[in-house]
């Protein structure tokens, strides 16, 4: 792994919310005196009635987690109403459409009115507090309106990424028992229109339980409307009032259900509640992104993922920020689009995923250099380990060595960012998520269940709860307990492996399910993949283990080449040697397959469990493939697989 150290620039240290001394002080308070810390930090939120106790949580027994007990509040009120007095006319959301030139700026007052109107629509459709509402919308303002309206009236939203298949949508509707579905005629992704209503119709036929389907007219495509069930968004909203009192919610009332990405298996319907979630997302959004009033903030995730929930909508709007919602994709009309948007809207804070960084890096520096990016002050990543090579490219080419990078480790289940640099406080090491956020107590556990001290590598767990931790898996508390709290009793088990270095920095080594055991040496996927990506010919790599007579397991590497490079026997040998020299003989790939693309989840994460099946020739049982972005990729992989078992 990279040993480079990027120290905090002087102006950052002076002007950020937190320098290192302050980070240390706040962190210590947050773990030594959580009551004092969280009582103070919870004041960033407006409470209708104060909480009586900071927390009451146990990771043992039935696993019961409660924060800010007896507090009454409303998340939509905190994201909208309380901003009206001072920033009613300030932009809340900048909508940037799929086509350049299509944009809309929505002020806090306008957003408030739209949310109230739609809250009344939901009520008139019979939606009550605690009911689940399924939302299957593209990245258009109505998506933000719909989720905030649910929050306003106490309904629980379950957002399904608008690229998912009818089957995937039907499963999520059924699992969360939704009787209302909100969708659009079509979504736009680059040159393609996606038939959302068509997919929704198929899903509703399968799921059966949907009584009302509210449809946004987005592209104007002609779509069938089923009498008695399907209604137009604009027809319903036209007659409703722009006032709707917010429901007084208990801290522990559910806010939303969201299904995990499905990288490791069947997605879990993670349930988040109200008080702890909004305190934590607001606090992390401020400190991790060093958000100050007036900053233009852009997170490129889709709201269908937790990143979009916490850091496009809830965290930023609770803080009164200007947040950008982008409907399109990074390469439409061309590979400069993201940077053009940064220039157009004078973006200060930019947050994306390693998969996007690698894809843009593959196109070379020109599309980036064609733009200014002078407004950008801070860069961020989330979703996978970022290979140091990609980090350095992001840092040098995109950020022109001026912008710190916050590599944020967290999960759907954690609700908010857990391990991350704070840009004014933390010296950076490419590929490391660095240090825990306030209130987060990570630990490393070995195979025998012992907690490691000092530097070392093991299973990443959390010793105590934090406000935004999920409370259960919807309808399946037993799965919640068995997935996260059984492996290392008394701790939250993340399912990821990590290494802690001499400076106490955390490096995510990969998923525990993906660890490869070569001749008794346990190897994380991240290090080997990063080594491959460090070779100029490689743009992306994924490694898995397969059974080997002598070594127990050997390494099968899948490699995607940068533009300008062709597969060859020579290059294959060169890459194996490169890893061997970089990490050691133990990490040398036994087999190396070139491929045009890797199988990824819809959120862009590499699905190693599929690659493992291909490597091991277990082709008739690929597991849950419903969250796969492009099934055709798997066929190509199988066609070109190298038999080594
Ligand atoms: P499933 O739980 O269904 O298998 P998933 O884990 O991919 O899917 P998410 O909750 O979207 O679903 O992803 C969280 C995971 O993403 C983490 O457990 C980790 O493996 C990875 N991850 C997220 N951010 C980072 C990061 N900064 N560095 C390394 N890994 C990260
Ligand atoms: Mg997971």
């Amino acid at each position: 792994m990279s040993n480079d150290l990027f120290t905090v620039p002087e102006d950052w240290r002076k002007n950020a919310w937190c320098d290192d001394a302050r980070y240390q002080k706040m962190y210590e308070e947050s773990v030594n005196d959580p009551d004092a810390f969280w009582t103070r930090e919870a004041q960033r939120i407006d409470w209708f009635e104060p909480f009586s106790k900071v927390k009451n949580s146990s990771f043992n027994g039935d696993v019961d987690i409660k924060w800010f007990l007896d507090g009454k509040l409303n998340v939509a009120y905190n994201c909208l109403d309380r901003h009206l007095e001072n920033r009613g006319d300030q932009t809340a959301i900048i909508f940037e459409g799929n086509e350049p030139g299509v944009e809309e700026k929505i002020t806090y007052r306008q957003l408030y009115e739209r949310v109230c109107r739609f809250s009344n629509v939901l009520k008139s459709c019979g939606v009550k507090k605690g009911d689940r509402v399924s939302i299957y919308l593209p990245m258009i303002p109505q998506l933000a309106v719909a989720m905030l309206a649910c929050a306003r009236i106490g309904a629980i939203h379950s957002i399904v990424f608008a690229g998912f298949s009818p089957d995937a949508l039907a499963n999520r509707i059924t699992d969360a028992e939704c009787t209302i579905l909100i969708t659009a005629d079509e979504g736009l992704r680059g040159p393609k229109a996606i038939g959302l209503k068509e997919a929704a119709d198929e899903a509703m036929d399968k799921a059966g339980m949907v009584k009302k389907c509210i449809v946004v007219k987005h592209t104007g495509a002609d779509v069938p409307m089923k009498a008695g069930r399907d209604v137009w968004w604009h027809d319903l909203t036209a007659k409703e009032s722009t006032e709707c009192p917010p429901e007084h919610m208990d801290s522990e009332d559910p806010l939303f259900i969201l299904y995990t990405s499905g990288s490791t298996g069947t997605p879990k319907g993670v349930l988040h509640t109200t008080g702890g979630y909004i305190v934590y997302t607001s606090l992390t959004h401020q400190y991790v992104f060093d958000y100050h009033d007036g900053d233009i903030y852009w997170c490129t995730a889709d709201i269908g993922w937790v990143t979009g929930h916490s850091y496009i909508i809830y965290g930023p709007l609770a803080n009164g920020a200007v947040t950008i919602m982008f409907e399109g994709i990074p390469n439409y009309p061309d590979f400069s689009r993201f940077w053009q948007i940064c220039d157009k809207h004078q973006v200060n804070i930019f947050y994306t995923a390693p998969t996007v960084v690698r894809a843009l890096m593959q196109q070379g520096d020109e599309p980036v250099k064609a733009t200014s990016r002078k407004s950008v002050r801070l860069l961020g990543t989330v979703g996978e380990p970022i290979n140091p090579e990609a980090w350095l490219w992001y840092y040098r080419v995109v950020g022109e060595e001026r912008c710190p990078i916050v590599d944020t480790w967290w999960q759907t289940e954690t609700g908010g960012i857990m391990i991350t640099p704070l840009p004014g406080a933390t010296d950076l090491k490419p590929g490391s998520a660095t240090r825990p956020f306030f209130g987060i107590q990570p630990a490393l556990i070995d195979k025998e269940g012992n907690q490691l001290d000092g530097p070392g590598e093991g299973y990443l767990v959390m010793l105590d709860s934090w406000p935004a931790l999920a409370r259960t898996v919807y309808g399946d508390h037993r799965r919640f307990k068995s997935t996260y709290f059984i492996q290392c009793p008394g701790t939250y088990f993340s399912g990821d492996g990590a290494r802690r270095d001499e400076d106490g920095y955390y490096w995510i080594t990969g998923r525990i399910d993906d660890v490869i055991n070569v001749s008794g040496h346990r190897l994380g996927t991240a290090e080997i993949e990063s080594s491959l990506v460090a070779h100029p010919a490689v743009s992306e790599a994924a490694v898995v283990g397969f059974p080997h007579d002598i070594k127990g397991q050997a390494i099968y590497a899948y490699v995607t080449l940068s533009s300008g490079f062709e597969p060859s026997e020579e290059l294959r040998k060169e890459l194996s040697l490169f890893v061997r020299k970089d990490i050691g003989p133990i990490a040398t790939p036994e087999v190396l397959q070139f491929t045009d693309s890797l199988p990824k989840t819809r959120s862009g994460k590499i699905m190693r469990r599929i690659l493992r099946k291909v490597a091991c020739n277990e082709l008739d049982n690929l597991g849950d493939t419903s969250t796969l972005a492009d099934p055709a990729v798997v066929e190509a992989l199988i066609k070109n697989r190298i038999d080594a078992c």
Side-chain angles (χ1 to χ4, degrees), residues 283-304:
L283 183 71
T284 44
H285 174 259
Q286 178 188 330
Y287 281 95
V288 175
F289 300 108
D290 194 52
Y291 170 76
H292 286 80
D293 253 0
D295 283 341
I296 311 286
Y297 166 88
W298 182 21
C299 165
T300 72
D302 193 284
I303 292 175

Side-chain angles (χ1 to χ4, degrees), residues 184-231:
D185 47 8
E186 288 182 323
L188 296 170
R189 285 180 74 74
K192 280 193 283 205
I194 316 283
L196 294 182
K197 178 61 168 53
E198 195 185 330
D201 282 340
E202 208 180 314
M204 286 186 282
D205 284 346
K206 287 214 166 75
M209 58 179 66
V210 177
K211 301 269 177 310
K212 193 79 26 259
C213 177
I214 304 174
V215 187
V216 176
K217 199 184 249 317
H218 179 45
T219 63
D222 194 16
V223 292
M225 298 288 279
K226 185 168 166 180
R229 184 193 70 184
D230 302 348
V231 274

Side-chain angles (χ1 to χ4, degrees), residues 573-588:
K573 286 202 188 101
E574 186 181 321
L575 294 177
S576 286
L577 203 64
F578 186 79
V579 178
R580 186 187 175 90
K581 275 203 192 124
D582 188 25
I583 308 178
I586 202 84
T588 315

Side-chain angles (χ1 to χ4, degrees), residues 260-264 268 411-413 484 492 494-496 511:
T260 56
S261 300
S263 305
T264 56
K268 300 164 277 277
Q411 309 177 294
T412 308
E413 301 86 338
Y484 310 106
Y492 168 83
S494 71
D496 287 347
R511 318 235 178 201

Side-chain angles (χ1 to χ4, degrees), residues 382-617:
V382 59
E384 285 182 293
I386 180 161
N387 318 108
E389 196 65 20
W391 193 102
L392 289 167
W393 182 83
Y394 196 31
Y395 183 76
R396 293 194 176 124
V397 180
V398 176
E400 298 177 326
E401 306 190 16
R402 171 186 81 237
C403 309
I405 297 177
V406 289
D407 173 358
T408 63
W409 176 85
W410 60 295
Q411 309 177 294
T412 308
E413 301 86 338
T414 71
I417 294 168
M418 301 285 283
I419 302 182
T420 178
L422 298 187
T426 316
D427 295 339
L428 306 173
K429 298 183 190 181
S432 171
T434 79
R435 303 187 295 192
F437 189 74
F438 308 135
I440 303 306
Q441 300 182 58
L444 299 178
I445 306 277
D446 69 15
K447 278 203 305 285
E448 282 74 44
N450 306 309
Q451 200 176 313
L452 306 176
D453 283 329
E457 189 171 329
Y459 302 145
L460 178 62
V461 304
M462 301 296 148
L463 298 179
D464 204 350
S465 84
W466 60 97
L469 171 59
R471 303 302 195 249
T472 193
V473 167
Y474 183 77
D476 197 352
H477 196 64
R478 194 196 292 238
R479 187 170 183 204
F480 185 64
K481 283 192 286 184
S482 66
T483 312
Y484 310 106
F485 300 98
I486 298 290
Q487 295 78 356
C488 302
T491 71
Y492 168 83
F493 185 79
S494 71
D496 287 347
R499 180 165 69 81
R500 189 169 47 217
D501 70 15
E502 322 61 58
D503 297 322
Y505 277 33
Y506 288 85
W507 300 74
I508 306 301
T509 52
R511 318 235 178 201
I512 288 159
D513 301 10
D514 295 334
V515 165
I516 308 171
N517 196 329
V518 182
S519 310
H521 298 267
R522 294 168 62 77
L523 299 167
T525 47
E527 192 179 14
I528 311 169
E529 290 165 2
S530 289
S531 176
L532 283 163
V533 173
H535 189 285
V538 178
S539 84
E540 202 159 40
V543 298
V544 298
F546 69 93
H548 187 280
D549 287 347
I550 299 155
K551 302 175 183 172
Q553 268 190 317
I555 297 168
Y556 194 122
Y558 298 85
V559 168
T560 302
L561 295 177
S562 308
S563 56
F565 290 89
E566 291 298 323
S568 71
E569 211 37 56
E570 213 182 328
L571 183 56
R572 197 192 303 271
K573 286 202 188 101
E574 186 181 321
L575 294 177
S576 286
L577 203 64
F578 186 79
V579 178
R580 186 187 175 90
K581 275 203 192 124
D582 188 25
I583 308 178
I586 202 84
T588 315
E590 188 88 10
V591 181
L592 195 147
Q593 176 177 340
F594 294 109
T595 177
D596 289 340
S597 6
L598 292 167
K600 292 192 180 162
T601 62
R602 301 266 169 175
S603 53
K605 295 163 198 269
I606 298 170
M607 262 162 121
R608 289 180 197 74
R609 63 182 164 90
I610 304 258
L611 293 171
R612 202 158 40 231
K613 297 271 185 186
V614 174
C616 300
N617 206 14

